[in-house]
Amino acid sequence: MTGKTGNIILFGMIAGAIFGVLGGLFIGDFFLSIEFIGTVFLNALKMIVIPLIIASMIVGVTSLGDIRKLGKTTGKTLFYYLVTTGFSVLIGIILVNIIQPGKGIENFGGFIPDIVAESKSKSMIDVIIGLIPPNIFDAAAQGKVLPLIVFSLLFGGVLTTIGEKGKPVILFFEGINQAIMKLVNLILYIAPIGVMSLIGGIVASNRESIEELVSGLALYSITVILGLLIHAIIILPLILKLLTKHKPIPFFLNMGQALATAFTTASSSATLPITMECIEEKNKVDTRAASFVLPLGATINMDGTALYEAVAAIFIAQIYGIDLGVTQQIIIFLTATLASIGAAGIPHAGTVTMVFVLAAVGLPLEGIGLIWAIDWFLDRCRTTVNVWGDSVGAAIISNTKEFKDK
């Protein structure tokens, strides 16, 4: 999909969300009659969830090369990515529970899916046991996303260690991943009308509470942005100050061009050349570290995206009147953190991997349509934080023993 086509679809989705709200308010009967189009769109997304998880995760891990030969630098880089992503998700979960942007929008819910009801009685030990299913195919059939993510990460890691025998298998999954990406692109072509039908049907069925939804969406956006700001201006600068000699404010200002490009393009990959130039030329970070850390970060480090997914999932649960317990929120934490590894290779990554997070705790995928109207803006905000996190990571890794001794 070209950038021009992607922009057309993005504007189409925004327009679809607007027309859906207006149509649901003024010609509700018509939108109730075409609500099935939104159901088809959702079913198409659900159809690709399992193969998408497995293929994208395996390809993401195998793209790192033999995990035994990548050395301490890779280990430290991945550890940094996982820790900072975990911090961002935790911030998001805390804020959305405190602010509760979806509370009070009562008419959208009133039901609790079976998978949520069943998981309420689970302990943390049950969650850990559930990460390793006795039958991976049964887990896939039941839509258990988290064990599939863990299996795919382990399987991908092992594939990198068996040499020539592993290459055909890696090529096989790369082919599957490319085919699934093509399917994602095809599904996105119907996204504008799918979003319009979904939102139109929801609004038509719940006209009395539309004002509550709009106010809740504004509060949801504030929650996401506040979480991103806390992570970007407190957590990451603090890590930078503690682990390097760089001063956070000058370092941030020197990355201004890259961060502005990230906000404009909503793409870590498209911003990568400018990020590397800023980090090397203006912040004087070791070129060897930048050349390794930044491309890897653009692929698997998604602090902002993971935070957004956690907030959005709990916000959707609040809208539908679903009270998530500690166990479900731990699952959201783990899923959002781990799913970010496979996010970057997916067009509209945050939207598609949102399906992973919602499916992990059985939340209704229809809720995705409710947040699409504002997603274009939040996408740019979270991408900017993603690039900022990559930049801090490059500075930290360049300050490690491996690069200082070379």
Side-chain angles (χ1 to χ4, degrees):
M1 182 183 293
T2 64
K4 184 177 180 181
T5 302
N7 288 334
I8 291 173
I9 291 176
L10 174 61
F11 289 127
M13 289 164 63
I14 296 170
I18 295 171
F19 285 134
V21 172
L22 295 176
L25 285 173
F26 298 108
I27 49 174
D29 291 341
F30 171 74
F31 273 87
L32 287 174
S33 69
I34 66 167
E35 194 174 11
F36 74 92
I37 299 175
T39 302
V40 171
F41 175 60
L42 280 177
N43 286 347
L45 285 176
K46 293 176 183 178
M47 176 181 67
I48 63 171
V49 169
I50 300 303
L52 179 61
I53 291 172
I54 295 173
S56 64
M57 289 292 169
I58 290 175
V59 170
V61 173
T62 56
S63 67
L64 300 177
D66 190 335
I67 58 174
R68 299 173 304 179
K69 298 179 181 179
L70 292 177
K72 294 181 179 179
T73 298
T74 299
K76 290 178 180 179
T77 303
L78 294 178
F79 180 74
Y80 164 80
Y81 288 155
L82 285 173
V83 168
T84 54
T85 301
F87 268 122
S88 69
V89 174
L90 184 61
I91 290 168
I93 290 176
I94 291 172
L95 285 177
V96 76
N97 277 287
I98 293 173
I99 298 174
Q100 297 189 336
K103 287 290 186 181
I105 309 176
E106 300 173 355
N107 293 338
F108 285 92
F111 73 96
I112 299 179
D114 291 341
I115 189 172
V116 177
E118 292 171 2
S119 63
K120 279 184 174 293
S121 60
K122 289 184 178 179
S123 65
M124 187 58 192
I125 294 177
D126 295 322
V127 173
I128 295 172
I129 292 173
L131 296 178
I132 311 296
N135 187 329
I136 195 67
F137 297 102
D138 183 57
Q142 295 184 41
K144 296 179 179 178
V145 176
L146 198 54
L148 291 180
I149 292 176
V150 173
F151 169 79
S152 301
L153 293 175
L154 294 174
F155 189 75
V158 170
L159 280 178
T160 67
T161 68
I162 58 177
E164 293 297 323
K165 292 181 180 179
K167 289 183 178 179
V169 184
I170 294 173
L171 287 174
F172 170 74
F173 280 106
E174 287 178 348
I176 290 179
N177 193 52
Q178 290 181 14
I180 296 297
M181 293 303 100
K182 185 66 175 179
L183 275 176
V184 171
N185 286 336
L186 292 175
I187 292 170
L188 286 174
Y189 282 117
I190 67 168
I193 190 171
V195 171
M196 183 182 71
S197 303
L198 275 175
I199 294 183
I202 291 173
V203 170
S205 301
N206 303 275
R207 298 183 200 186
E208 298 80 6
S209 56
I210 189 63
E211 185 177 338
E212 294 174 353
L213 175 60
V214 172
S215 63
L217 198 60
L219 198 55
Y220 154 73
S221 301
I222 292 172
T223 305
V224 173
I225 293 171
L226 180 59
L228 293 175
L229 286 173
I230 291 173
H231 188 66
I233 68 178
I234 296 177
I235 302 299
L236 291 176
L238 184 61
I239 294 173
L240 180 68
K241 184 174 180 62
L242 290 175
L243 299 181
T244 74
K245 296 180 179 179
H246 292 282
K247 295 180 179 179
I249 293 178
F251 189 92
F252 176 83
L253 294 176
N254 287 337
M255 294 304 304
Q257 188 177 358
L259 298 178
T261 304
F263 186 85
T264 303
T265 63
S267 171
S268 299
S269 298
T271 308
L272 183 58
I274 299 175
T275 307
M276 294 190 71
E277 181 181 0
C278 291
I279 200 78
E280 294 173 11
E281 299 298 326
K282 295 183 178 180
N283 278 320
K284 307 302 180 184
V285 170
D286 192 307
T287 301
R288 297 166 300 171
S291 298
F292 174 77
V293 175
L294 292 178
L296 185 61
T299 304
I300 67 173
N301 185 41
M302 300 285 147
D303 293 3
T305 300
L307 181 148
Y308 149 82
E309 290 173 350
V311 173
I314 298 174
F315 171 68
I316 289 170
Q318 291 171 354
I319 283 182
Y320 281 89
I322 300 170
D323 184 20
L324 295 177
V326 174
T327 300
Q328 293 88 41
Q329 296 198 35
I330 289 173
I331 292 174
I332 289 174
F333 172 86
L334 294 173
T335 308
T337 302
L338 295 176
S340 66
I341 295 175
I346 304 168
H348 300 278
T351 300
V352 179
T353 52
M354 173 60 64
V355 177
F356 300 177
V357 180
L358 295 180
V361 286
L363 292 173
L365 299 189
E366 290 85 347
I368 295 176
L370 298 173
I371 61 176
W372 239 321
I374 195 63
D375 188 67
W376 67 274
F377 177 72
L378 295 180
D379 189 15
R380 281 155 171 74
C381 296
R382 62 184 184 254
T383 301
T384 305
V385 174
N386 291 343
V387 171
W388 174 231
D390 295 345
S391 305
V392 172
I396 290 171
I397 297 303
S398 71
N399 202 51
T400 58
K401 182 176 182 295
E402 287 74 24
F403 285 98
K404 283 187 173 182
D405 290 347
K406 291 180 181 179

